[in-house]
DNA sequence: TTGTACGCGTTATCAC
DNA sequence: GTGATAACGCGTACAA
């Protein structure tokens, strides 16, 4: 474990020049090196256990084979951190490294962090948001590739969950199970501010479209923008007190569904036989519940991996274009089986 | 936004040599530079918006001001990802960058990833584990600093949660509330394999010690190593069916406690009035419950930040030494108030 | 087909 | 006090 071998060492060992070594090891085809020389180089490299110094290479080429992943509160928030895993895996496959930074709720830190990443000469920047919304980012040098994962920002391409489809699919699943009287918990006018949410309006739109297509409206609704168990609990109690009857609850997200379960259980109602519950997100939580929750999964990991793929491959991404990633239906036990016909 | 300014540009702008520029900008005190020259340099640097190229600097110094954070499944598992945040924040404060990689359940990937980090010339390596256990790591070059966060490995220093203290504190909290007949869910002989858990034996030991110190034993126990809601649910039902009465449940972790809640609720028992519940971990889940769960927090974020501090500061860490990070008691509503006297 | 020599932007060693 | 200049390890134009 002495000093690491350098290209010059390999050249000496192989009895050739550094040029030859460099050419061979970088697989340059156009300049025809004799097969024999190439073999000698490879053997020597092997023997000396040579691996190129990325620092020196970067200095020379201007490329670092590294990407910045900058997030707001992804690591400390529930399951959104899977986005990181997706990015990490995709980067590793391509021989890239991810430099991570997280700024929390401090937009002023963002500028510093971006600068520091730029100083480190990253080849591209990913911005990952814990919840899909619009953000204002510091200006980036022209030609530096950047995009948002689970968010949008002026002038940058973005990757978002396909919420409109998911909204439709959720409602359709309920309809297929034969439900006609469905209650909805979690509608909120506030989400129409893009800085609060970039996607929830689509989720609503998909939901309403699917319902309308079946000639239906919600049997009842509870408003609320704090999508925590409390809303689900109180919302469900209110629903139960009201006159309108319903056979299924569509919850704005899993935590709301969680609260709904509590109220249903207290009320002596069984899921899914008395009331079916369908939801969005697919947190860990969804698997803890009895019966386990059927929900539309937010594809964090896929979005993260698509993020690095888009950054690294293919043509120049289109500014302001959004790429939608499907939200799969995760079938569990809180909605009865689809009915034939 | 043309090319970035270099040291030579600054030198030219200031009418001085690169040597002087380097000396001034690196704050070398010993070699006395005139105040005037220093000022000229600083102004010129400011004007050109100069910032040193870390690549070139690394090539020269052999240091990269970067740390590797390599984990198993931290990003995709519940709340352990807060460990990353802790590491990130501590690194940023010190001007270091974190290169992340995650290998999942594939030990064979570990070697490749470590190699790739070493090739990138990181100044130190952090290994972060989703759950505290012993792992076998590939050999590291002598002199390369490395340590484990939430785990142990032969020959390396490690950072672990102070489980013995936490076990004691949990029991004491219950005792203070006046409980004498306590049931425990989640004892398992399997955890004595260090490759499965490096810390749970201490948790047990602390628990048993505090109980013994009060001259008590558990009123009843349910074994189980799968610490999921199911265990808490079925365990609690079993406890309720048995003869032994109890006024409090100590659950192995929050998910088990969650299951216990469900069974208690079904049985018409109220938390904490009929049965108090105390637990370990402090997942998000703990705040969703009604009443919210009192639990001993696993200090992921603190462990992560301590990890980089130990790597970067202080003397050579002692191999095989474990540094224990306190697990705070998070007081919520599932245990009644402490009684006087 | 292969080798020499230069430059990438720093820091560090030595002169002046 | 300050300034040339030689590394650091690599890629490549140009020469041979």
């Amino acid at each position: 474990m002495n000093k690491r071998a350098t290209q010059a060492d390999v050249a000496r060992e192989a009895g050739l020049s550094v040029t030859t070594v460099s050419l061979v090891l970088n697989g340059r085809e156009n300049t025809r090196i004799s097969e024999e020389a190439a073999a000698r180089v490879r053997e020597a490299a092997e023997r000396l256990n040579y691996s190129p110094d990325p620092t020196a290479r970067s200095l020379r080429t201007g490329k670092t084979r590294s990407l910045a992943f900058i997030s707001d509160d992804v690591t400390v928030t529930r399951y959104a951190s899977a986005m990181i895993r997706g990015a990490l895996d995709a980067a590793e496959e391509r021989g890239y490294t991810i430099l991570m930074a997280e700024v929390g709720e401090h937009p002023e830190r963002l500028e510093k962090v971006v600068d520091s990443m730029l100083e480190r000469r990253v080849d591209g920047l990913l911005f990952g948001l814990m919840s899909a919304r619009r953000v204002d980012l510091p200006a980036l040098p022209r030609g530096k590739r950047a995009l948002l994962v689970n968010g949008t920002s002026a002038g940058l391409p973005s990757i978002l969950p396909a919420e409109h489809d998911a909204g439709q699919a959720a409602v359709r699943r309920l309809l297929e199970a034969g439900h006609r009287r469905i209650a909805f918990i979690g509608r909120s006018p506030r989400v129409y501010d893009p800085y609060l949410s970039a996607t929830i309006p689509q989720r609503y739109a998909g939901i309403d479209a699917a319902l309308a297509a079946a000639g239906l409206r919600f049997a009842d609704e509870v408003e609320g923008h704090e999508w925590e168990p409390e809303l689900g609990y109180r919302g469900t109690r209110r629903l139960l007190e009201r006159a309108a009857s319903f056979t299924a609850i569509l919850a704005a997200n899993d935590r709301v569904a969680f609260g709904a379960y509590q109220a249903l259980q207290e009320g002596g109602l069984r899921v899914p036989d008395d009331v079916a519950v369908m939801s969005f997100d697919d947190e860990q939580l969804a698997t803890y519940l009895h019966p386990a929750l059927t929900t539309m999964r937010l594809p964090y990991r896929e979005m993260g991996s698509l993020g690095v793929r888009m950054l690294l491959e293919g043509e120049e991404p289109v500014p302001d274009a959004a790429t939608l990633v499907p939200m799969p239906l995760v079938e569990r036990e809180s909605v009865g089986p689809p009915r034939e016909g």
Side-chain angles (χ1 to χ4, degrees), chain A:
Chain A
M1 295 285 180
N2 298 330
K3 305 238 59 86
R4 305 188 53 109
T6 110
Q7 216 173 54
D9 297 331
V10 178
R12 201 172 314 117
E13 176 84 7
L16 291 163
S17 80
V18 291
T19 308
T20 315
V21 173
S22 176
L23 256 25
V24 171
L25 263 26
N26 289 312
R28 287 275 172 286
E29 299 296 339
N30 46 2
T31 167
R32 293 147 305 183
I33 302 268
S34 71
E35 248 325 309
E36 190 242 329
R40 287 227 314 274
V41 167
R42 273 188 282 267
E43 270 171 39
E46 179 76 17
R47 216 161 27 235
L48 298 181
N49 196 327
Y50 168 79
S51 78
D53 183 337
T55 312
R57 177 178 273 176
S58 294
L59 180 58
R60 189 61 242 250
T61 62
K63 303 257 162 264
T64 54
R65 293 191 82 76
S66 67
L67 261 24
F69 185 100
I70 302 173
S71 50
D72 54 354
D73 269 321
V74 167
T75 59
V76 292
T77 332
R78 298 183 194 96
Y79 53 125
S81 49
M83 191 193 296
I84 300 171
R85 175 63 165 272
L88 252 22
D89 288 349
E92 198 206 321
E93 272 173 27
R94 290 160 181 75
Y96 275 69
T97 299
I98 298 263
L99 312 194
M100 283 252 321
E102 191 157 84
V103 299
E105 300 301 325
H106 308 277
E108 75 278 7
R109 278 179 62 184
L110 191 56
E111 193 151 356
K112 281 179 51 182
V113 162
V114 170
D115 270 359
S116 119
M117 288 301 188
L118 258 16
E119 279 179 14
R120 298 242 173 198
R121 305 286 192 277
V122 293
D123 298 337
L125 304 276
L126 292 182
F127 295 89
L129 265 33
M130 135 196 128
S131 74
R133 51 187 238 274
R134 165 162 290 255
V135 291
D136 296 324
L137 260 23
L140 264 16
R142 291 208 62 75
K144 212 27 120 179
R145 284 209 178 185
L147 61 75
L148 280 96
V149 180
N150 202 35
T152 66
S153 190
L156 292 182
S158 61
I159 294 175
L160 294 170
E163 292 275 11
H164 191 277
D165 288 355
Q168 287 192 303
V171 168
R172 288 205 191 111
R173 178 66 186 78
L174 253 14
L175 295 175
E176 280 169 19
H179 297 283
R180 289 295 173 272
R181 304 196 54 78
I182 304 173
F184 182 44
I185 306 180
R187 196 182 296 268
S188 161
R190 306 226 322 204
V191 300
Y192 292 90
D193 174 356
Y195 285 90
L196 289 181
S197 174
T199 52
I200 301 305
Q202 276 88 295
R203 184 182 290 188
Y204 289 160
I207 289 171
D208 293 336
L211 220 45
L216 259 30
R217 291 192 310 138
F218 279 120
D220 202 347
E221 289 199 20
V222 176
E223 279 208 1
H225 56 270
E226 290 250 327
W227 292 357
E228 297 297 332
E230 193 62 21
L231 173 63
Y233 179 76
R234 292 215 295 232
T236 302
R237 287 180 62 113
R238 204 174 321 156
L239 288 174
L240 292 172
E241 288 161 9
R242 288 180 188 166
S245 69
F246 57 92
T247 64
I249 292 178
L250 182 59
N253 73 4
D254 294 347
R255 276 163 286 145
V256 171
F258 177 79
Y261 266 57
Q262 294 175 323
L264 256 15
Q265 202 162 29
E266 275 187 22
L269 264 12
R270 302 186 64 87
V271 177
D273 296 336
D274 299 323
V275 178
V277 179
M278 172 93 212
S279 172
F280 296 87
D281 284 11
D282 193 31
E283 295 195 46
Q284 275 277 351
L285 183 60
T287 66
Y288 297 165
L289 296 174
H290 281 298
L293 186 61
T294 295
T295 188
M296 306 298 303
R297 188 164 70 80
L298 238 19
Y300 282 112
R301 191 156 166 179
E302 291 80 357
M303 290 194 294
S305 105
L306 180 59
V308 340
R309 290 207 307 275
M310 283 182 54
L311 222 44
L312 259 24
E313 289 160 14
E315 52 282 19
E316 190 67 25
V318 185
D320 291 303
T323 302
L324 267 25
V325 179
M327 295 177 60
L329 190 161
V330 181
E331 187 71 53
R332 284 196 272 253
E333 303 145 6
S334 64
V335 178
R339 295 189 187 175
E340 294 302 329

